[in-house]
């Protein structure tokens, strides 16, 4: 994108911000206009005082006290009003900026929540963090100096009129530098824009690499890849450094020129003004007024440079933020509720799904689960078990087919109704840097009795009671103080405390031993049976776990290859028997190696 195109695009983005915060932005601009107008008034007061107080006092040898007090009062009045204009411009302008940041961060994060799981799987977490933070800041960075820049326009207009009234020749001479100032600004942006754009893009890349390094710390340390990972991060950091240095070099060349040009204009006015005063063509007050106006206007004019300097970052940030806000594939929710009472009747009708159009993970899967029943799903890795679990709780939508709860398609349910009716406990659990209570309740108003009951069913009550502060024990980031099995049991309690009508366990007890898993499933059976219970679907491998289920679905190549009780499938399906036997044999061999 060329520099003029970047400027036009950047100004269009700022126009969006001005419309969205039109009330406060108007107040900020008004404050800037007050400041600009009174700056010109200050110059007029100074010129008038020179001609009517200072010069006569030197000529007469005595000070006119009354006029001096009047001038002092004028200066103080103008100074106070200017200060109010500065406060309005900066305070309200800052409020506009921070309101836009907060609003667009909320928009981005709300969009993250609305987008389907597939979209998140295609975008690194570090990039998403950058979109919601650095990119949003880049978009609206130019809003801070913008009210001042708009006020400068009015200041220039009024100031030029005031200078022309004082002395036309001095004004024309002084104004020579301003076209040159704007021309240099255009060239400045032409050089700066691509460098700023590259630096903004690299900020997101650094964030992505850093987050990936933090997330994979265990892998990096256990495989001895610290040096290589450090080198990878150093490489992208060096690229960002070089991009920022390149932008700094451009600023180092142009900034001194832009700063010195207004001073050159003031110098021309003073030199020529002396000649005009000596020749009688101008009064000293006129020269002072024009020179002072050029002095005070020169600095605010730089606000144009600040705005233009931020526009390339605004454009790049906007493109990255809009990529999130305009992303397609969001799952629209209905307004319905799950009919009937606990537990639900689960129906799966002709489900077909594929992450890639060329391959299907699930192909024409259909089954029913009666209310309160427990069904185990068994299959080889890659057979579609976890995908099926995600579809049942609507983390994703099927390409074809439907999931029904008591006869109601899950796509017709409101988000609140779905969240209140179904729960998934995945194999890979997430523990927040919070207390045990906070991790189970997630901020909801749940009694300690209900929390302790959920922990009991999940076989987590004993180890929680042994923690120094019990329910108030802090678990650290990602639950680093807990074992894998303890984290899984807390995640199960988190689901149970909400009393879901459909509970989906995706290998959710893989990190606990068989005895504890058996107690968990037995507790679930006791809790979920009857009127107030839940329908349970569990992705399982162990024979003991599968045997506790009322029914077993054998999934192979994305299809239901067989269905029945565990004992029935063992007798009639060799592939099924091979899978469950192989898993138990592998566990036995691992246990033998540990005991040797």
């Amino acid at each position: 994108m060329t520099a003029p195109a970047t400027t036009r695009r950047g100004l269009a983005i700022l126009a969006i911000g001005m419309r969205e915060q039109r009330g406060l932005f108007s107040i900020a601009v008004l404050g800037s206009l007050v400041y600009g107008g009174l700056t010109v008034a200050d110059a007029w007061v100074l010129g008038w005082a020179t001609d009517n107080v200072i010069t006569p006092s030197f000529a007469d040898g005595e000070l006119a006290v009354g006029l001096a007090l009047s001038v002092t009062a004028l200066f103080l009045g103008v100074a106070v009003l200017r200060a109010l204009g500065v406060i309005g411009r900066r305070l309200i302008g800052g409020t506009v900026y921070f309101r836009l940041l907060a609003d667009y961060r909320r928009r981005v994060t709300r969009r993250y929540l609305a987008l389907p799981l597939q979209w998140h799987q295609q975008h690194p977490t570090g990039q998403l963090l950058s979109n919601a933070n650095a990119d949003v800041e880049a978009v609206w960075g130019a809003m801070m100096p913008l009210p001042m820049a708009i006020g400068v326009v009015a200041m220039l207009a009024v100031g030029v009129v005031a200078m022309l009234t004082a002395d036309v020749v001095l004004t024309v001479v002084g104004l020579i530098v301003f076209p040159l100032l704007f021309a240099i600004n255009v060239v400045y942006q032409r050089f700066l824009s691509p460098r700023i754009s590259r630096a903004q893009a690299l900020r997101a890349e650094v964030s992505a690499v850093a987050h990936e390094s933090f997330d994979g710390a265990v892998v990096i340390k256990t495989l001895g890849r610290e040096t290589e990972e450090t080198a990878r991060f150093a490489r992208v950091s060096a690229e960002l450094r070089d991009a920022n240095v390149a932008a700094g070099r451009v600023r180092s060349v142009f900034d001194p020129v832009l700063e010195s040009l207004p001073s050159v204009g003031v110098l021309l006015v003073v030199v020529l003004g002396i000649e005009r005063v000596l020749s009688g063509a101008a009064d000293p007050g006129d020269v002072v007024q024009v020179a002072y106006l050029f002095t005070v206007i020169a600095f605010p004019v730089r606000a144009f440079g600040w705005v233009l300097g931020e526009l390339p970052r605004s454009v790049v940030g906007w493109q990255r933020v809009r990529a999130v806000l305009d992303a397609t594939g969001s799952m629209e929710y209905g307004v319905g509720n799950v009919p009937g009472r606990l537990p639900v009747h689960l129906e799966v009708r002709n489900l077909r799904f594929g992450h890639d159009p060329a391959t299907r993970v699930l192909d024409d899967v259909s089954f029913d689960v009666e209310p309160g029943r427990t069904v185990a799903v068994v299959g080889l890795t890659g057979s579609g078990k976890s995908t099926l679990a995600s579809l049942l709780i609507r983390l994703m939508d099927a390409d074809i087919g439907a999931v029904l709860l008591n006869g109601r398609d899950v796509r017709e349910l409101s988000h609140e109704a779905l969240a209140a009716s179904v729960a998934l406990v995945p194999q890979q659990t997430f523990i927040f840097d919070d207390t045990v209570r906070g991790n189970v309740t997630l901020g909801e108003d749940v009694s300690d009795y209900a929390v302790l009951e959920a922990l009991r069913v999940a076989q987590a009550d004993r180890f929680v009671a042994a923690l120094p502060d019990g329910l108030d024990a802090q678990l650290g980031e990602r639950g680093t103080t807990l074992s894998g099995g303890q984290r899984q049991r807390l995640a199960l309690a988190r689901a149970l405390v909400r009393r879901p009508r459909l509970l989906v366990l995706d290998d959710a007890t893989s990190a606990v031993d068989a005895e504890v898993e058996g107690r968990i499933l037995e507790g679930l059976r006791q809790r979920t049976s009857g009127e107030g219970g839940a329908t349970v679907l569990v992705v399982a491998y162990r024979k003991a776990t599968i045997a506790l289920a009322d029914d077993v679905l054998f999934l192979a190549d994305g299809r239901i290859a067989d269905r029945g009780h565990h004992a029935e499938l063992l007798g009639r399906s060799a592939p099924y028997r091979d899978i469950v036997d192989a898993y138990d044999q592998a566990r036995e061999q691992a246990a033998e190696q540990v005991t040797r």
Side-chain angles (χ1 to χ4, degrees):
M1 188 180 293
T2 63
T6 299
T7 301
R8 288 193 299 271
R9 182 62 175 150
L11 293 176
I13 293 167
L14 296 184
I16 294 172
M18 287 187 279
R19 285 197 301 271
E20 292 184 1
Q21 297 289 328
R22 61 175 64 88
L24 288 176
F25 187 79
S26 299
I27 297 174
V29 171
L30 179 61
S32 185
L33 293 176
V34 169
Y35 170 81
L38 290 173
T39 298
V40 177
D42 205 21
W44 177 84
V45 172
L46 182 62
W48 184 86
T50 301
D51 285 337
N52 295 279
V53 180
I54 299 173
T55 301
S57 295
F58 278 109
D60 299 339
E62 93 181 272
L63 176 66
V65 177
L67 284 176
L69 292 175
S70 299
V71 169
T72 302
L74 279 174
F75 273 122
L76 288 175
V78 170
V80 169
L81 292 175
R82 281 180 66 191
L84 292 175
V86 171
I87 292 172
R89 183 190 75 206
R90 292 186 177 178
L91 179 62
I92 306 301
T95 301
V96 168
Y97 169 68
F98 289 114
R99 282 169 66 99
L100 284 169
L101 290 187
D103 181 46
Y104 272 80
R105 281 175 176 148
R106 284 193 295 266
R107 293 189 195 187
V108 169
T109 52
R110 280 199 298 265
R111 192 61 189 152
Y112 287 160
L113 295 175
L115 287 165
L117 189 62
Q118 299 101 305
W119 187 89
H120 286 272
Q121 292 169 342
Q122 296 167 4
H123 296 81
T125 304
Q127 177 185 323
L128 302 186
L129 289 172
S130 180
N131 292 151
N133 188 31
D135 291 333
V136 170
E137 289 182 359
V139 171
W140 302 117
M143 290 298 292
M144 287 288 275
L146 186 59
M148 184 176 181
I150 294 175
V152 165
V153 175
M155 185 192 299
L156 282 174
V158 176
V160 169
V161 171
M163 287 186 287
L164 288 173
T165 303
D167 192 298
V168 175
V169 175
L170 293 178
T171 302
V172 171
V173 170
L175 288 176
I176 290 174
V177 302
F178 284 96
L180 186 58
L181 190 65
F182 285 107
I184 292 175
N185 254 318
V186 171
V187 177
Y188 179 30
Q189 296 312 311
R190 188 181 297 275
F191 280 93
L192 187 63
S193 178
R195 291 163 177 80
I196 289 291
S197 299
R198 173 164 172 74
Q200 184 62 26
L202 284 170
R203 283 188 180 91
E205 189 173 342
V206 168
S207 178
V209 173
H211 184 274
E212 195 172 56
S213 297
F214 301 152
D215 231 21
V218 173
V219 175
I220 293 167
K221 286 184 173 296
T222 54
L223 296 181
R225 304 297 294 175
E226 292 95 334
T227 302
E228 290 76 11
E229 193 64 18
T230 300
R232 184 166 78 107
F233 184 75
R235 184 171 59 255
V236 295
S237 297
E239 290 179 8
L240 176 58
R241 176 204 62 203
D242 293 343
N244 284 325
V245 169
R249 287 198 186 101
V250 174
R251 288 194 177 101
S252 68
V253 171
F254 283 92
D255 278 350
V257 177
L258 293 172
E259 293 288 348
S260 62
L261 273 177
S263 300
V264 172
V266 173
L267 183 61
L268 290 174
V269 168
V270 172
V271 171
L272 182 61
I274 292 172
E275 293 294 331
R276 288 180 62 76
V277 170
L278 293 176
S279 66
D283 294 326
D286 296 334
V287 176
V288 171
Q289 180 180 346
V290 173
Y292 178 73
L293 278 173
F294 272 112
T295 302
V296 297
I297 288 175
F299 178 74
V301 166
R302 291 290 290 116
F304 287 111
W306 299 335
V307 171
L308 293 173
E310 291 291 334
L311 290 184
R313 290 185 65 225
S314 294
V315 172
V316 175
W318 183 254
Q319 291 170 344
R320 296 173 64 84
V321 168
R322 289 309 316 181
V324 176
L325 298 180
D326 296 336
T328 58
S330 62
M331 295 190 297
E332 299 297 330
Y333 289 92
V335 296
N337 293 312
V338 180
R341 299 175 62 84
L342 296 172
V344 298
H345 178 205
L346 172 65
E347 299 174 76
V348 175
R349 295 284 174 262
N350 308 111
L351 278 191
R352 294 183 180 179
F353 178 83
H355 297 288
D356 184 338
T359 58
R360 289 194 186 278
V361 179
L362 296 175
D363 191 6
D364 198 24
V365 172
S366 297
F367 61 89
D368 285 13
V369 181
E370 293 297 322
R373 304 277 286 180
T374 299
V375 172
V377 179
V378 179
L380 289 171
T381 300
S383 60
K385 303 184 299 299
S386 293
T387 299
L388 175 60
S390 297
L391 292 171
L392 293 182
I393 67 163
R394 211 187 170 208
L395 284 180
M396 305 180 293
D397 279 335
D399 300 328
I400 300 174
V403 175
L404 308 176
L405 301 180
N406 284 352
R408 177 69 62 86
D409 193 317
V410 293
R411 290 169 292 195
E412 300 173 3
L413 302 175
S414 69
H415 185 262
E416 294 77 11
L418 186 63
S421 300
V422 302
L424 168 70
V425 185
Q427 179 181 5
Q428 300 298 326
T429 58
F430 186 88
I431 300 298
F432 294 91
D433 187 5
D434 200 350
T435 62
V436 173
R437 181 187 292 104
N439 268 283
V440 175
T441 65
L442 297 184
E444 293 184 16
D445 186 13
V446 180
S447 69
D448 282 358
Y449 175 82
V451 172
L452 290 171
E453 174 63 16
L455 290 171
R456 184 191 65 78
V457 176
Q459 298 297 303
D461 53 333
R462 291 185 180 179
F463 82 76
V464 168
L467 295 174
D469 297 312
L471 292 179
D472 295 315
Q474 290 285 339
L475 300 180
E477 187 177 4
R478 295 180 181 270
T480 53
T481 60
L482 303 177
S483 68
Q486 289 172 334
R487 289 196 292 270
Q488 283 190 334
R489 282 178 273 174
L490 274 186
L492 178 58
R494 179 190 295 163
L496 292 175
V497 81
R498 288 158 178 77
R499 302 194 71 85
R501 301 171 68 177
L502 171 64
L503 178 63
V504 181
L505 307 178
D506 185 8
D507 200 17
T509 54
S510 60
V512 301
D513 58 51
E515 181 183 351
V516 173
E517 183 183 41
R519 291 202 301 267
I520 291 173
L521 293 176
E522 185 58 36
L524 283 175
R525 177 186 290 277
Q526 294 174 3
R527 176 168 176 159
T528 59
S529 61
E531 184 72 12
T535 303
V536 179
L537 186 140
V538 54
V539 175
Y541 295 92
R542 294 176 177 143
K543 281 184 180 180
T545 305
I546 299 168
L548 291 173
D550 300 307
D551 210 1
V552 179
L553 297 175
F554 177 36
L555 206 60
D557 298 325
R559 293 175 175 270
I560 296 180
D562 207 342
R563 177 175 184 171
H565 191 268
H566 173 59
E568 297 174 359
L569 294 182
L570 282 177
R572 70 171 179 244
S573 175
Y576 174 81
R577 186 169 55 250
D578 291 341
I579 290 174
V580 294
D581 285 346
Y583 182 80
D584 278 1
Q585 289 170 6
R587 288 186 62 84
E588 290 172 2
Q589 290 172 0
E592 289 177 3
Q593 291 176 356
V594 170
T595 56
R596 286 176 183 173

